[in-house]
Amino acid sequence: MDFELAEEHRMLKDLVARYVRETLIPLEAAVLAREASSGELCLLTEERARLDARSRELGLWGLDAPEEMGGADLPNVAMVGVWEEVGRSVVPYELPPDSPNLRMLREAASVEQRERYLAPYARGETVSAIAISEPGAGADPAAMSTRAVRDGDDWIIDGRKIWISRAVEADFTILMAVTDKARGARGGISAFLIDKGTPGLKVERRIPMIGGWSTYEVLLEGCRLPAAQLLGREGAGFAPMQTRLSTRRLQMAAWCLGRAQRALDMLCEYAPQRHTFGAPLAERQTVQWWVADAATRIHACRLMTYEAASRIDRDDTARMQISMVKVAATEMAWDVVDHAMQAFGAMGMTKELPLQQMANDVRLMRIYDGPSEVHRWLIARELLGPPR
Ligand SMILES: Cc1cc2nc3c(=O)[nH]c(=O)nc-3n(C[C@H](O)[C@H](O)[C@H](O)COP(=O)(O)OP(=O)(O)OC[C@H]3O[C@@H](n4cnc5c(N)ncnc54)[C@H](O)[C@@H]3O)c2cc1C
């Protein structure tokens, strides 16, 4: 058992840390002020272009994309360090391309789809969305009712999706639909690729969420797709979708490590300076315990996250471990950020510090890609076995 990151992965993590320190963090004040005044957490076009240019310059581009498409094909254990460092900042920016849909496309795309969708996505030239959730099926995606029915060589899709991130800007959306109701998640759900502007695909409304984030409600009405838009085999959409979800859950755990570590760093810098009742906050046992517990839980979650990543790199689906790290890291970061906010007093409640944005981000992470309760239920089900 080796607890050391490979030298090249450690150097990459250090490089991303520098990028975050020198390029993302200086943008935070403007991003937070914009969110405070407009209610939207966003980057201006020129800001994004500047970030993209700098990440390209540093070679922080396509890190886990296939080599033949210009990527570095890095394993999950290397990406955990990258995601953790990026997670320190609340600037809404991911080093392109975002990994979850990349992994799903890598797993399921046909030769033609690799050329048409995966290659430009891997080069960071396109934006994608994933549409799984529905008004009647969120935590339980197998209950979805959006239908895809064959019509000659085409598919006709009807249904409604909700909470879809990036639905408006996405060049293409990976959409999950029922192709065989009787088989459900066991062979009856398929994935489709839908291009922006396809007739019958309509973004009905933007739904503002906490922290300046937005999702969208999407309507599919007689949306006709040629057979070539089926992603993977008919009825076999659930497995690549799980790969996608696992990637996001792992990434989320790493983002939480980054946010929690930064909140702890802020707490450790502030507590010795701030005096109340004649003594620094750092001398109060409450604050000392916040610091000690935060450091202990961050350490435990970091080990768990790397362990889950290395399992996936060894072709283990690691479903239970992924559920464990998703719950542990999101809940750990929530507590650590909350304690840091408490120590900063009124300043911790302002939109001038990044702490409240971290709290909002982490709060959302306790819901999407499976709420904590569902992951706990899955872990318990794995251990207890089927009902007797
Ligand atoms: C910011 C954000 C972005 C999102 N982006 C996307 C996206 O891009 N694409 C997409 O398809 N979806 C997206 N979602 C949807 C997200 O994945 C779902 O919200 C999530 O899976 C939960 O579904 P739900 O909201 O319908 O909650 P429900 O399924 O109604 O569950 C509500 C609550 O019930 C409890 N619960 C449910 N089942 C169980 C159980 N078995 N045991 C114990 N308790 C249980 C949990 O506390 C849960 O929080 C996003 C959501 C958010 C918040």
Side-chain angles (χ1 to χ4, degrees):
M1 198 177 287
D2 185 356
F3 287 101
E4 288 303 311
L5 262 186
E7 174 71 3
E8 69 268 27
H9 298 161
R10 200 185 45 71
M11 284 168 61
L12 172 67
K13 186 172 186 289
D14 292 345
L15 179 64
V16 178
R18 204 182 95 206
Y19 172 81
V20 170
R21 205 169 48 244
E22 293 175 358
T23 317
L24 291 188
I25 304 241
L27 253 185
E28 271 186 354
V31 167
L32 289 173
R34 196 173 302 136
E35 193 281 328
S37 61
S38 72
E40 274 192 74
L41 188 75
C42 58
L43 284 170
L44 303 177
T45 312
E46 59 271 23
E47 289 170 339
R48 183 169 294 280
R50 230 179 323 122
L51 293 178
D52 283 351
R54 187 67 183 139
S55 23
R56 269 191 197 283
E57 216 173 82
L58 292 173
L60 300 175
W61 198 272
L63 291 174
D64 55 350
E67 270 178 31
E68 71 270 22
M69 292 172 185
D73 216 353
L74 289 177
N76 283 284
V77 284
M79 293 308 292
V80 166
V82 171
W83 295 327
E84 173 176 348
E85 293 304 333
V86 171
R88 285 181 72 89
S89 159
V90 295
V91 169
Y93 183 76
E94 277 313 306
L95 296 167
D98 194 23
S99 303
N101 286 354
L102 179 83
R103 301 282 170 86
M104 185 168 181
L105 288 171
R106 284 186 77 158
E107 188 168 315
S110 64
V111 175
E112 295 75 33
Q113 289 166 347
R114 283 176 72 85
E115 234 2 82
R116 187 160 161 216
Y117 291 96
L118 178 58
Y121 187 65
R123 291 193 298 266
E125 294 164 3
T126 53
V127 174
S128 70
I130 179 99
I132 306 168
S133 308
E134 300 184 359
D140 178 13
M144 71 177 64
S145 61
T146 293
R147 292 294 307 269
V149 177
R150 272 188 188 280
D151 182 35
D153 279 346
D154 294 346
W155 291 93
I156 310 283
I157 305 194
D158 286 283
R160 183 177 289 276
K161 297 287 179 180
I162 195 165
W163 319 125
I164 310 307
S165 308
R166 297 177 302 281
V168 164
E169 59 263 48
D171 298 291
F172 65 93
T173 296
I174 302 175
L175 178 120
M176 307 302 300
V178 179
T179 42
D180 183 341
K181 196 167 188 297
R183 301 178 85 171
R186 290 188 175 72
I189 293 181
S190 307
F192 294 88
L193 290 158
I194 309 192
D195 292 323
K196 188 182 204 162
T198 300
L201 169 73
K202 186 175 165 213
V203 178
E204 275 210 323
R205 65 174 176 128
R206 182 173 85 86
I207 311 168
M209 321 283 283
I210 59 169
W213 293 98
S214 293
T215 60
Y216 298 88
E217 184 162 358
V218 176
L219 180 68
L220 294 125
E221 253 179 345
C223 181
R224 180 177 288 274
L225 298 177
Q229 298 308 102
L230 177 70
L231 174 61
R233 281 181 300 108
E234 179 182 341
F238 228 66
M241 182 188 87
Q242 289 298 349
T243 301
R244 190 235 173 247
L245 291 172
S246 289
T247 307
R248 178 69 86 212
R249 289 164 185 156
L250 189 69
Q251 183 183 44
M252 225 184 272
W255 286 340
C256 283
L257 290 172
R259 279 172 174 64
Q261 185 64 59
R262 177 144 176 235
L264 175 60
D265 294 347
M266 289 173 70
L267 174 58
C268 288
E269 196 185 327
Y270 183 70
Q273 295 172 27
R274 177 69 177 171
H275 287 66
T276 63
F277 303 96
L281 288 182
E283 284 180 20
R284 307 286 172 199
Q285 191 186 43
T286 303
V287 174
Q288 292 169 350
W289 283 34
W290 286 344
V291 168
D293 287 348
T296 307
R297 289 176 71 189
I298 290 171
H299 182 52
C301 284
R302 193 176 280 124
L303 292 175
M304 285 173 75
T305 308
Y306 276 108
E307 199 267 348
S310 82
R311 278 180 188 264
I312 296 182
D313 288 336
R314 295 196 308 267
D315 274 342
D316 176 346
T317 57
R319 288 284 294 281
M320 186 171 77
Q321 288 76 13
I322 289 288
S323 286
M324 288 173 169
V325 294
K326 206 247 175 194
V327 173
T330 53
E331 296 189 356
M332 172 279 290
W334 175 253
D335 290 343
V336 173
V337 171
D338 185 56
H339 290 156
M341 288 172 78
Q342 191 72 9
F344 273 83
M347 193 61 206
M349 303 297 114
T350 66
K351 293 199 167 191
E352 291 174 10
L353 284 191
L355 290 170
Q356 52 80 33
Q357 185 61 45
M358 291 182 192
N360 280 317
D361 297 349
V362 172
R363 189 66 193 82
L364 291 168
M365 289 186 219
R366 287 168 54 202
I367 295 288
Y368 67 87
D369 286 24
S372 307
E373 296 72 28
V374 172
H375 285 290
R376 283 194 167 87
W377 175 60
L378 292 172
I379 296 165
R381 224 175 41 172
E382 183 80 21
L383 296 172
L384 293 167
R388 276 169 267 183

